Amino acid sequence: MLAAAVTSAVSSALSNQTGLTLVTDLTRADYLAKGSIQALGGRYRATVQLFDQHSSEQFASERFGGEIDDLFSAEEELAFRISTAVRFAIYPRNIQRASGEGLGDDTIEASLAKAGYLLLNESRADWRTALELAEAVTTREPSNSMAYAIKAVAHLVDVISGVRAVPTQDGEAAFAAAKRAVELHEHSDFAHHAKAMVHLFYKCDLNAAQRECERALELNPYYPFSMAILGLTLIFQDDAETGTPLCTKVVEANPRLPNNRRFMRSISY
């Protein structure tokens, strides 16, 4: 029962994420996920393996364990942890598979995958490259919501990482890009996430940031970054009792996630 429920929940979580397409036809898939769940008494153990369909190589494997005191809570927790692990294991793999160095060599999809991955790094040079890639995509494909959302986050990454305050020019560019991303794709969790970050880190409008986070999580309840940003927004509204568990939930779901430092820094304030 738990295995079937988790499989359904993970499939739903991955299919709702911007930038991923879930297919059941293996001939059309770039990656294959295999999993198993064992239960004994009040505990479970789950294993997930990821394979590259082009090379047949296994490139990631994760093991999860927990309690089954409440079946529904165990299902939610495991589905969140598995979908997060799968999502962020695929990120670097997409970069490895991209053969070119820029938009002139890469497809639009590869350029956006590279830009998204670079934003997770800790190098300002990588952040600038991410912005350049996203801007190149919007020039080539002006209706690409993902590119505008990446542009918005890239303009803000200095302040998000505590490097410096956002200059007005960058802040306004981020706001315009996030607004355009939502206009182009109202049902994109990432577009609403980008807009939430603009409201939180540039506009300092906590209510608007909370609304955008809640909309992103309505579209994709398992989206870890929006869950963490909602947590930060609540903390900044003096509701640390509600906000802190959201941030720690994201960190515990994937301890190797690069952005964990940013979330934990805000929790410690």
Side-chain angles (χ1 to χ4, degrees), residues 192-213:
H192 286 283
H193 172 72
K195 198 171 181 181
M197 294 181 74
V198 174
H199 283 303
L200 178 60
F201 292 104
Y202 175 62
K203 294 291 188 179
C204 299
D205 186 338
L206 298 179
N207 290 328
Q210 182 174 344
R211 287 195 300 271
E212 293 297 333
C213 283

Side-chain angles (χ1 to χ4, degrees), residues 131 135 151-152 154-156 164-178 198 202-203:
L131 178 58
E135 287 179 334
K151 279 179 62 174
H155 277 296
L156 291 175
R164 60 168 180 163
V166 173
T168 300
Q169 182 178 355
D170 284 346
E172 290 303 315
F175 181 70
V198 174
Y202 175 62
K203 294 291 188 179

